[in-house]
Amino acid sequence: DIQMTQSPSSLSASIGDRVTITCRASQSITSYLNWYQQKPGKAPKLLIYAASSLQGGVPSRFSGSGSGTDFTLTISSLQPEDFATYYCQQSYSTPNTFGQGTKLEIK
Amino acid sequence: QVQLVQSGAEVKKPGASVNVSCKASGYTFTGYYMHWVRQAPGQGLEWMGWINPNSGVTNYAQKFQGWVTMTRDTSISTAYMEVSRLRSDDTAVYYCARAFRIAAAVYHDYWGQGTLVTVSS
């Protein structure tokens, strides 16, 4: 199975900050990497697919980059509604494993 | 609009089975694979497997092979996931999630609201 490792596991930031979350795969997954946002008690929401494609309706302050084994999710200017947990997921091969999550909290 | 509506919360005893349903609407049910993902309390997301609603072919994570069964009823656009021989560590919220494919890229664009399964004696 492909292991997905996110860093950091938690992060404190302020409104307006630029934030970057990293996801590393245990082997190359080319660009088959998705990012989701999850708020407490809610289902995950797709933000980015195929490493860098923004899902429709998602604000442009979210962006993704990377290929191979190293990927990043960047939020260019944090808004109050962005405080949540973020997960990466590889769809290169089954099982389509998720990272352990990064909890983004208000500083 | 696309909707995935799951069945309600369940409380089961260890050793029992549970069947969670996921009713799809707003799109052609047989045109998209359905995946299942679970989340234990306070924990991360765990991918369980998928079913091709058109053919009924399934693919399970090795961890779940032999005690999780995914089925579908195309006449009512509903996917099902049965977990047997429940243990306390199967307590989790179970999600169905539609899989959208562009070329070889697969992602989950719509999710059910989740079904909490509690296993307790």
Side-chain angles (χ1 to χ4, degrees):
Chain A
D1 297 0
I2 297 174
Q3 307 303 314
M4 306 300 294
T5 304
Q6 290 181 232
S7 61
S9 295
S10 63
L11 175 60
S12 294
S14 301
I15 302 298
D17 282 354
R18 180 184 180 89
V19 167
T20 298
I21 298 169
T22 297
C23 180
R24 174 165 288 175
S26 59
Q27 66 182 76
S28 176
I29 56 170
T30 63
S31 296
Y32 298 132
L33 190 283
N34 307 317
W35 289 99
Y36 300 89
Q37 176 195 67
Q38 188 180 33
K39 295 182 179 180
K42 299 294 187 182
K45 173 188 174 183
L46 177 69
L47 300 175
I48 302 284
Y49 63 92
S52 60
S53 296
L54 191 69
Q55 173 68 348
V58 174
S60 59
R61 63 181 180 273
F62 291 92
S63 64
S65 65
S67 66
T69 60
D70 294 318
F71 302 86
T72 59
L73 172 71
T74 299
I75 309 172
S76 60
S77 178
L78 272 175
Q79 299 302 301
E81 60 268 31
D82 300 338
F83 292 94
T85 301
Y86 293 83
Y87 294 94
C88 61
Q89 180 203 28
Q90 63 83 16
S91 61
Y92 181 81
S93 66
T94 57
N96 294 153
T97 41
F98 290 89
Q100 82 278 15
T102 295
K103 187 172 184 179
L104 180 53
E105 299 175 306
I106 300 174
K107 184 183 287 184
Chain B
Q1 72 284 18
V2 173
Q3 280 193 302
L4 300 176
V5 179
Q6 298 184 222
S7 48
E10 303 261 14
V11 179
K12 296 290 183 181
K13 294 190 181 302
S17 298
V18 68
N19 201 335
V20 178
S21 67
C22 172
K23 183 169 177 60
S25 61
Y27 72 99
T28 302
F29 178 65
T30 52
Y32 300 82
Y33 286 29
M34 191 72 77
H35 293 220
W36 291 87
V37 174
R38 76 177 185 178
Q39 186 171 38
Q43 303 301 308
L45 301 169
E46 183 174 28
W47 186 86
M48 301 178 69
W50 56 251
I51 183 168
N52 177 344
N54 188 46
S55 64
V57 172
T58 55
N59 182 336
Y60 304 116
Q62 186 171 12
K63 171 178 180 177
F64 299 102
Q65 288 179 358
W67 56 287
V68 169
T69 305
M70 297 175 189
T71 58
R72 91 292 188 216
D73 184 338
T74 57
S75 69
I76 55 172
S77 299
T78 300
Y80 301 92
M81 186 200 56
E82 181 181 36
V83 184
S84 61
R85 305 191 301 276
L86 286 164
R87 308 185 329 176
S88 58
D89 59 2
D90 293 319
T91 293
V93 176
Y94 290 78
Y95 294 101
C96 58
R98 189 180 85 158
F100 192 94
R101 177 183 290 270
I102 291 183
V106 175
Y107 52 89
H108 304 305
D109 56 349
Y110 289 94
W111 294 67
Q113 82 276 19
T115 297
L116 175 62
V117 175
T118 302
V119 183
S120 174
S121 54

